[in-house]
Amino acid sequence: MAAATQQMSSLPSGLRVCSTVPDILYLPELVFGGLVWILVASTHVTTPNPQGWVMFVSVFCFVITFLWLVIFACGGHKNSSAWATADFIYHLIAVVFYLSASVILAYVTIILKYATLAPLDQYYKIDIAAVVFSYVATLLYFIHCILSAVRWKSF
């Protein structure tokens, strides 16, 4: 228990980023966020469609998470408590953004279901997959946010 507490009270660098909690979640966040980005980009978008917000959230979170991973892997944080705070705040913002984007994407998908013509059926299936991956990404960011808060408080 003491090792886990000591591990949570410091920020990892190097390859430890891929083996410590909550930082091990960076990779699944990138995978599922990238899948949302790809799936939403490959779907049919009509003019009054709010999927632009979903694209913004998925691209923004993908890029910032990748930069965060690189900064942590390079040790750019220098084990500062300010970085632990920033990590918590970023993941809190990501949770709020992804949750709002997931709800919007689910709503658009439901609307698309009732407006679907035969050729648009493939886009409906792509949107369903995007909704599922979006909620998985939201869950990953939420878990990371909670664990980052625990680390921040123990810093």
Side-chain angles (χ1 to χ4, degrees):
M1 180 71 177
T5 304
Q6 195 258 344
Q7 187 180 32
M8 286 294 284
S9 65
S10 66
L11 297 172
S13 60
L15 291 178
R16 282 190 38 214
V17 171
C18 297
S19 63
T20 58
V21 174
D23 305 303
I24 197 168
L25 295 173
Y26 283 129
L27 296 176
E29 288 168 0
L30 286 172
V31 168
F32 286 102
L35 284 170
V36 172
W37 178 7
I38 291 166
L39 290 169
V40 172
S42 67
T43 190
H44 179 71
V45 178
T46 57
T47 306
N49 198 332
Q51 284 183 326
W53 173 248
V54 179
M55 281 298 292
F56 168 77
V57 168
S58 61
V59 172
F60 172 79
C61 288
F62 185 88
V63 169
I64 299 299
T65 299
F66 181 75
L67 290 174
W68 219 249
L69 176 64
V70 169
I71 289 169
F72 271 57
C74 293
H77 52 71
K78 305 215 186 311
N79 206 25
S80 168
S81 65
W83 278 95
T85 305
D87 187 44
F88 165 67
I89 291 171
Y90 163 66
H91 282 91
L92 181 64
I93 291 169
V95 167
V96 172
F97 276 15
Y98 250 112
L99 185 60
S100 68
S102 298
V103 170
I104 289 171
L105 187 59
Y107 173 75
V108 167
T109 303
I110 290 170
I111 296 299
L112 186 63
K113 177 183 179 183
Y114 295 111
T116 299
L117 304 172
L120 295 178
D121 188 47
Q122 71 182 15
Y123 297 122
Y124 175 70
K125 291 175 183 174
I126 291 171
D127 280 341
I128 290 290
V131 168
V132 170
F133 290 135
S134 181
Y135 277 108
V136 170
T138 303
L139 179 64
L140 288 169
Y141 278 106
F142 179 73
I143 292 168
H144 198 146
C145 180
I146 297 299
L147 295 174
S148 291
V150 169
R151 176 171 58 194
W152 173 50
K153 287 298 183 182
S154 68
F155 219 87

